Amino acid sequence: DGGITQSPKYLFRKEGQNVTLSCEQNLNHDAMYWYRQDPGQGLRLIYYSQIVNDFQKGDIAEGYSVSREKKESFPLTVTSAQKNPTAFYLCASSTGTGGLQKLFFGSGTQLSVL
Amino acid sequence: SQKIEQNSEALNIQEGKTATLTCNYTNYSPAYLQWYRQDPGRGPVFLLLIRENEKEKRKERLKVTFDTTLKQSLFHITASQPADSATYLCAPFTGGGNKLTFGTGTQLKVEL
């Protein structure tokens, strides 16, 4: 089945630790995104990539890093510089960017701090 | 600054009634606006897209309106069912930054 796979479903981070969230898609989409969702807040864009080996910062990129070495994969690293990492992280993809492009989302990763 | 407002309080309605959800935006002139459905612990799912020159868009029991003068979009579910219970997110697109901006969502509960 085509879709977006995020792993793990739940992740725990110790203080000072970097953790990496996985996002893989087999939809042959060019664009991929990472959003953060906190209770009572809308989805906030962390990073997005329109093409392999290129990505742009979103609204809340500080404390996060990404890579896009393959079209199918867009991993997100939550670094120790992110002081409030507890949130629900969502990966998405689309055929391109622009307002006509609907986003396909993965099922999310809940990150918590130990 | 740009702002999107959706009712933060849950909307409770009876099965069979029409649910109407509101999305207001300020300091925006979106060319398109999308609506998504999100179930607990899951990612959002795309429902409908409406362009600024379209007043209304329909898909089965769903209807979206887009009033650029009022800066408002309304999302209607007719003949609502308990399975429609979820959080509904609106997402205007302005072109600036080439990305969607999501509202906080409104939780809908359809009761028997």
Side-chain angles (χ1 to χ4, degrees):
Chain A
D1 289 337
I4 299 181
T5 302
Q6 289 188 242
S7 62
K9 181 65 176 175
Y10 300 96
L11 187 59
F12 298 91
R13 193 190 89 167
K14 296 180 181 178
E15 190 172 342
Q17 184 183 43
N18 293 350
V19 292
T20 297
L21 285 61
S22 172
C23 178
E24 302 278 333
Q25 56 100 357
N26 61 5
L27 299 169
N28 199 33
H29 285 172
D30 288 314
M32 297 188 74
Y33 313 77
W34 275 104
Y35 287 89
R36 169 180 172 143
Q37 188 173 34
D38 295 276
Q41 296 196 39
L43 278 67
R44 291 184 290 168
L45 184 64
I46 305 172
Y47 270 98
Y48 67 102
S49 169
Q50 300 181 65
I51 197 169
V52 174
N53 292 324
D54 186 52
F55 47 83
Q56 284 77 43
K57 292 182 179 180
D59 300 316
I60 55 166
E62 185 174 350
Y64 300 97
S65 66
V66 294
S67 63
R68 186 86 187 274
E69 297 176 0
K70 297 187 301 181
K71 187 175 185 178
E72 302 79 19
S73 179
F74 192 40
L76 174 74
T77 296
V78 184
T79 73
S80 57
Q82 173 51 245
K83 299 306 180 186
N84 184 23
T86 297
F88 189 51
Y89 290 85
L90 288 159
C91 179
S93 71
S94 64
T95 54
T97 54
L100 293 175
Q101 306 299 331
K102 61 182 181 181
L103 300 185
F104 292 79
F105 284 86
S107 55
T109 293
Q110 176 65 51
L111 175 63
S112 302
V113 177
L114 289 175
Chain B
S1 61
Q2 297 172 336
K3 194 173 180 181
I4 305 167
E5 291 182 334
Q6 295 186 256
N7 288 345
S8 58
E9 292 185 12
L11 177 63
N12 297 316
I13 64 167
Q14 278 191 321
E15 183 179 20
K17 302 291 185 182
T18 296
T20 299
L21 308 177
T22 304
C23 176
N24 295 304
Y25 55 91
T26 54
N27 297 323
Y28 265 113
S29 292
Y32 316 97
L33 189 146
Q34 299 185 17
W35 282 88
Y36 288 77
R37 168 185 171 139
Q38 186 175 24
D39 291 285
R42 306 298 298 272
V45 175
F46 172 82
L47 296 175
L48 281 168
L49 178 151
I50 187 165
R51 294 172 169 79
E52 63 178 339
N53 61 353
E54 296 176 316
K55 296 298 183 185
E56 180 180 298
K57 198 77 169 283
R58 292 177 184 263
K59 179 183 175 182
E60 298 173 350
R61 294 185 296 112
L62 309 180
K63 185 179 83 171
V64 172
T65 63
F66 195 6
D67 190 324
T68 55
T69 301
L70 292 179
K71 293 188 180 293
Q72 180 181 80
S73 176
L74 299 179
F75 178 83
H76 307 271
I77 305 176
T78 58
S80 59
Q81 305 166 0
D84 294 326
S85 298
T87 296
Y88 292 86
L89 309 171
C90 73
F93 179 87
T94 62
N98 209 25
K99 56 182 174 67
L100 290 175
T101 301
F102 285 84
T104 54
T106 298
Q107 185 179 12
L108 173 66
K109 297 180 181 178
V110 181
E111 301 166 339
L112 293 171

